[in-house]
Each structure stands twice: as C-alpha cells, then as structure tokens.
Amino acid sequence: MTTTTEHRPVLAVIGAGPAGLAAALAAAAHGVRVVLIDSAAEAGGQFYRQPARGLGARRPQALHHQWRTWERLRAGLDDQLAADRVTHLSDRHVWCVERESDGSTAGGFIVHALLGPLQEESVAVRAEAVLLATGGYEKVLPFPGWTLPGVVTAGGAQALLKGGLALPGRTAVVAGTGPLLLPVATGLAAAGAQVVALVESADPRSFVRRSKAWAAAPAKLAEGAGFAAQLLCHGISVMVRHAVLEAHGTERLESVGVVALDAAGRPVPGTERRLPCDTLAVGHGLLPHTDLAEGLGCRLDGPNVRVDDEQRTDVPGVWAAGETTGIGGAALSLAEGHIAGRSAAARLTGAVPDPREWAPASRARTRLRAFFAALDDAYAAAPVRWTEQVTDETVVCRCEEVTAGTVREAVGALGAGDLRTVKLLTRAGMGWCQGRMCEAGVAGVAGCAFVPARRLLARPVPLGVLAAPTEPTTPQ
C-alpha cells in the first residue's frame, strides 16, 4: 500500500525583513509551502537586525522600537517552522531568479543564491511563485573628506550597533537628510556615544505646511514626537537647514565642517562651523533594491517596482512588497507583505482572492503611502546644491578611484550626456559594487539623470558558479 502526500504549491519569499516575514506568515497560514530566503544569519532585516548570537546580548530590545511587533513576528515564524510550513534558508545571497520554462508564463521559477559568508558556492530552489521583499539601500552622496576612516553611512552605523553591539566611535555627528537620522542619532546616544549634533538639511517649515498628512497618521506622529523627546533628553543639538561641507582629518576623521543653507540650498557665507568628532554618520535617504525585479522583467514606476492592489508585479507569478515598491518604513512594509502573502496564497491554491480578507492591511497601506509621500515632499522641498561643494579632487567612485574632476571632464570635454556614457569613459561604477554606492553621486556631479543601471546579476558571482550550474531542489 502506498500513501501520497498532497502537494502544496511553493512560494519563494526573498528577504526576511518586515515585508518578507509578514508575507511568509500570511501565505503559510493559507495553504502554501513557503521558502524564506535571506542573506542574514537571523531573520529581521535591517529594521529588526539581531545581534550575533555569540555576543550574548541580554537586552536586544534596548536597540529597537516596536519590539512587541518583532516578538509577534518571531513567534509566528517559530510556529510555522515547527509546523513545517516554512523553510528558512539563512546566509543565502540571491543573485538571480529565472523562469524554469523558456519565458512561458506557465512555468515556475528557480532562485539562485550564493551560500554562506564566503559566497563561493551556489544553491538553487524551485518554486511556483516568487515574492520579492528585497528592501532598500542607502543613497550615498560624496563630499570632500568622505573617504576618511570614521565616516560611515547612517544605516551602517545603525547596523554596527544593532548587529555587533559596537559603537563606530565615541563622539559622533549624524548628518544628511531623512527620517533615518532620528533613530540613528538617538540609538548612538542611548548606547553611550556623545552625539554632538544632528545636522539636517530640510527646512522645518516644509513639515508645518503638510500638517494634514501628519494628522492622518497619528501613530507616526507620536513616533516622531518620541524621537524629539529623546533628542532633548540626550542633549543633542539639532541643526536644521544645515549641511556638511567637508570632513577633516589626516589619518582619520577629526572634525566636520558644517554650514547653514539659504532658500536656494547654497551655503550662507560666514556660518561655517567645525564640530570635533571621531565619527560622522551620514545619510541622504534610501533607494529600493530592484535588481532581481528588473532581471525578471518587472516594470518600474520611477525607482520603484510597480505593483497592483494585490502587490502583484506585471510579471505573472511575481509579487513584491516593502521598500522595493517604495520607501515607507516598517509599518507599511508589514501591511504590503501581508497583502502580498494572502494574494499569493489564494492564487497559488486556486482560490479567488477576496480583498475584504485583508481590508485592514489595505487601509493601513493607503494611509501610510499618503503619509510617506508627504514626508518625501517635505524633505525634498529644501534644495541642497551639494554638487557645487564637491571639489575636482574628491573621489566619487571609491571602487575605481574616479574623481569628480574626471567625471566633469568626461561631460565637458568628451561630451558624455548620460550616466552610461560617463561610466564607459571614466570606469565610474565598474567596480565591485557595480555602481550601487556611487551611481547617485556620479549622476549628480555629471549633471545627468539618475537612472539605476539594469544589472544581469544582483551581486558579484564567482566564475566557477556560473560554469557549474546547481541542480535546483524542490521543498517538500
């Protein structure tokens, strides 16, 4: 006598941050086998980044807010893992997703990932559908001195604190623009660093003019008030409509030069100040990770992956949720992930999706999208003419050591009129990161439109991996 096991359709969720976790839990609870694939050793993403287990953190919640939400997500994941509805593949760096059948919409997908910290061998997973929750990455803009040791991105400082329980330095300046600066500044201060100042280029009046948008999202308003209270409690000076002119130091960072900005975004003469510090955490917002989506042929709306009301892309069998569809924080990612997971489960199991079943998440999505659209407008309302402060000697592409002067020569003397031509003439963006760190900065210095390059592979892959394709496995 033989027994048969009912086949459950497989959904590959790429990314285990808030969107990926919410999607995995929603899909697994509604009859779908989920393979959750993530590059980190622990689930949580950047927002809920967990300290390494070997560090023995006693109170990791001290480094986070919305910790109760994380505990619910973690408990839900543990339950689904125990029930064998979810397989969590950690330390897998996805470099490509391909259709199993020659472009046919009827076939499934194969997810290719590099294994472990060395990333010298590949694994492959077969799935009927894919849900992209690949998050975002930081927008990096160059300035004189930004390559000095001690200058880090705002997200990098936060990751070091959350994941390594380590401070990047003892005396810090947090600068740039965007809401990420608030948790970074307060987190560093709470961990024992002296935060000299939070230098924000935006104009507070831009936020006052959008008061109706803030009233529509009281939870986010309360969150902002909480950060303001923490800044006051830690005695952190807040310098609005200011920007970093230059990082100073010989062997490493010693001080930061900041200046007030006028209404046109230009430095105001006579307002320059030097702030002594050994760390500068600088950030200028986030950009969505779209490499995998573009490799699959998904259409974009500007920098974001385009999705419908069910979080479906225009490629059959592919959903997207979270920052890859537009930067909007953890709460929005959770709502989008839940909708995407429910939609994918319904369509994979042959059911008719009923939007009424995820109506609360849909309402939250609408409200939070409107809130973050207004927030983006407020931060963008104050122009910053940062390219005028970038000297010709400033390195703008660190991988290939290309200076701003070389980029300007390619435009002025050689006639480069777009980012791709600048890349071909200067090698800016041809290094290890393939432009992920420098594209926005190079485009700004060149005066070109910032159009992220479409990459065949989402990350560098050893030639040996490409030469020896891995046989895909099908989760049971």
Side-chain angles (χ1 to χ4, degrees), residues 333-354:
S333 294
L334 288 169
E336 290 187 355
H338 181 81
I339 294 168
R342 290 292 296 268
S343 169
R347 293 189 177 276
L348 285 172
T349 56
V352 177
D354 184 357

Side-chain angles (χ1 to χ4, degrees), residues 24-50:
L25 297 181
H30 290 83
V32 170
R33 175 77 170 148
V34 175
V35 181
L36 181 62
I37 308 170
D38 192 60
S39 60
E42 301 284 343
Q46 171 72 351
F47 190 81
Y48 293 117
R49 181 183 288 269
Q50 301 300 298

Side-chain angles (χ1 to χ4, degrees), residues 372-445:
F372 280 100
L375 195 66
D376 286 345
D377 287 345
Y379 278 110
V384 181
R385 304 173 74 96
W386 61 272
T387 58
E388 296 176 5
Q389 313 309 316
V390 178
T391 63
D392 283 347
E393 296 75 25
T394 302
V395 171
V396 294
C397 170
R398 300 178 73 158
C399 295
E400 295 293 321
E401 298 183 347
V402 179
T403 64
T406 301
V407 171
R408 287 167 176 152
E409 182 182 9
V411 175
L414 303 179
D418 58 78
L419 194 55
R420 182 176 181 275
T421 305
V422 170
K423 178 178 180 178
L424 293 173
L425 292 174
T426 67
R427 293 192 59 82
M430 288 190 181
W432 180 257
C433 81
Q434 287 293 287
R436 290 170 180 82
M437 292 291 292
C438 68
E439 276 178 339
V442 171
V445 171

Side-chain angles (χ1 to χ4, degrees), residues 133-391:
T134 47
Y137 62 101
E138 288 190 87
K139 181 180 180 180
V140 178
L141 300 180
F143 53 89
W146 74 296
T147 58
L148 278 170
V151 180
V152 297
T153 65
Q158 188 181 59
L160 186 63
L161 184 60
K162 289 181 177 181
L165 303 182
L167 289 169
R170 302 303 305 178
T171 307
V173 170
V174 178
T177 191
L180 178 61
L181 302 187
L182 293 171
V184 171
T186 55
L188 291 174
Q194 178 190 357
V195 180
V196 177
L198 191 160
V199 182
E200 169 60 67
S201 62
D203 187 341
R205 290 173 295 186
S206 299
F207 296 88
V208 174
R209 287 193 287 267
R210 292 163 176 81
S211 57
K212 289 184 179 180
W214 317 144
K220 303 303 295 183
L221 192 63
E223 184 179 319
F227 282 127
Q230 292 180 59
L231 292 172
L232 185 63
C233 179
H234 291 294
I236 300 173
S237 173
V238 179
M239 305 173 68
V240 295
R241 285 189 65 175
H242 279 68
V244 170
L245 273 179
E246 185 174 0
H248 301 278
T250 50
E251 297 298 320
R252 61 164 292 116
L253 180 68
E254 297 171 4
S255 65
V256 173
V258 300
V259 67
L261 302 174
D262 63 17
R266 295 188 177 91
V268 177
T271 62
E272 298 88 348
R273 292 177 57 185
R274 277 208 185 190
L275 305 177
C277 60
D278 60 20
T279 300
L280 170 61
V282 60
H284 295 92
L286 301 174
L287 296 168
H289 265 302
T290 61
D291 289 348
L292 294 175
E294 289 186 83
L296 284 164
C298 300
R299 186 176 299 180
L300 303 186
D301 273 335
N304 309 321
V305 177
R306 176 185 292 184
V307 292
D308 64 10
D309 289 343
E310 294 182 34
Q311 298 295 137
R312 294 180 298 169
T313 71
D314 61 335
V315 175
V318 180
W319 282 255
E323 309 279 46
T324 191
T325 68
I327 304 302
L332 178 55
S333 294
L334 288 169
E336 290 187 355
H338 181 81
I339 294 168
R342 290 292 296 268
S343 169
R347 293 189 177 276
L348 285 172
T349 56
V352 177
D354 184 357
R356 292 174 298 181
E357 296 178 352
W358 57 77
S362 182
R363 288 193 293 271
R365 179 181 60 183
T366 299
R367 183 174 65 254
L368 289 168
R369 281 181 176 175
F371 174 85
F372 280 100
L375 195 66
D376 286 345
D377 287 345
Y379 278 110
V384 181
R385 304 173 74 96
W386 61 272
T387 58
E388 296 176 5
Q389 313 309 316
V390 178
T391 63

Side-chain angles (χ1 to χ4, degrees), residues 2 13 81 114 157 220 224 326 367 417 476:
T2 60
V13 177
L81 290 171
L114 297 172
K220 303 303 295 183
R367 183 174 65 254
Q476 300 298 322

